[in-house]
């Protein structure tokens, strides 16, 4: 199963900083909590230039909320976000998605 995560940040500069400095650490630490990072992107058009978009994968029977909670309470997450003002994240949208079987 996959999850699309869209982080909206205060402005483009904050998004670029979050993308470059903190997601590089998330990519290393999320697998320790059962997530596979399939990709991370930053918005490139005016309406989404302040967004960081990540696609994560995990087993079909995973409890994503529990996994996320465990990660966010971990020393790894604290280290990943050290020095970042999390109030600059103005919205987080998550969507569970799955591959469609086309015939």
């Amino acid at each position: 199963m996959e999850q699309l995560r869209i982080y909206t940040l205060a402005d483009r500069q904050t998004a670029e900083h979050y993308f470059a400095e903190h997601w590089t650490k998330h990519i290393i630490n999320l697998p320790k909590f059962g997530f596979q990072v399939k990709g991370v992107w930053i918005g490139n058009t005016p309406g989404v230039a302040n967004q960081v978009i990540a696609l994560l994968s995990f087993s079909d029977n995973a409890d994503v909320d529990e996994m996320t909670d465990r990660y966010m309470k971990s020393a790894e997450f604290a280290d990943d976000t050290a020095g970042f003002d999390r109030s600059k994240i103005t919205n987080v949208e998550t969507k569970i998605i799955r591959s469609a079987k086309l015939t």
Side-chain angles (χ1 to χ4, degrees):
M1 197 72 78
E2 282 78 36
Q3 182 182 54
L4 184 67
R5 294 184 179 192
I6 303 168
Y7 300 84
T8 302
L9 292 105
D11 53 52
R12 180 186 185 120
Q13 293 77 20
T14 303
E16 290 173 353
H17 173 78
Y18 183 59
F19 176 77
E21 298 296 323
H22 300 281
W23 261 95
T24 54
K25 296 174 185 177
H26 290 331
I27 289 169
I28 294 167
N29 286 318
L30 279 166
K32 298 174 186 176
F33 296 84
F35 294 100
Q36 175 190 1
V37 180
K38 296 187 108 177
V40 184
W41 300 267
I42 191 163
N44 196 37
T45 56
V48 297
N50 64 328
Q51 292 184 331
V52 174
I53 302 146
L55 182 61
L56 307 178
S57 181
F58 42 84
S59 65
D60 287 345
N61 60 350
D63 183 339
V64 181
D65 292 334
E66 186 276 329
M67 290 165 55
T68 301
D69 187 54
R70 200 165 35 92
Y71 173 58
M72 291 184 76
K73 290 178 179 175
S74 72
E76 288 88 347
F77 180 77
D79 182 57
D80 290 358
T81 58
F84 181 73
D85 180 357
R86 287 189 265 170
S87 73
K88 299 281 185 177
I89 299 175
T90 61
N91 190 49
V92 178
E93 184 178 356
T94 61
K95 299 175 186 270
I96 301 292
I97 57 178
R98 62 179 171 79
S99 298
K101 295 191 190 249
L102 302 176
T103 57

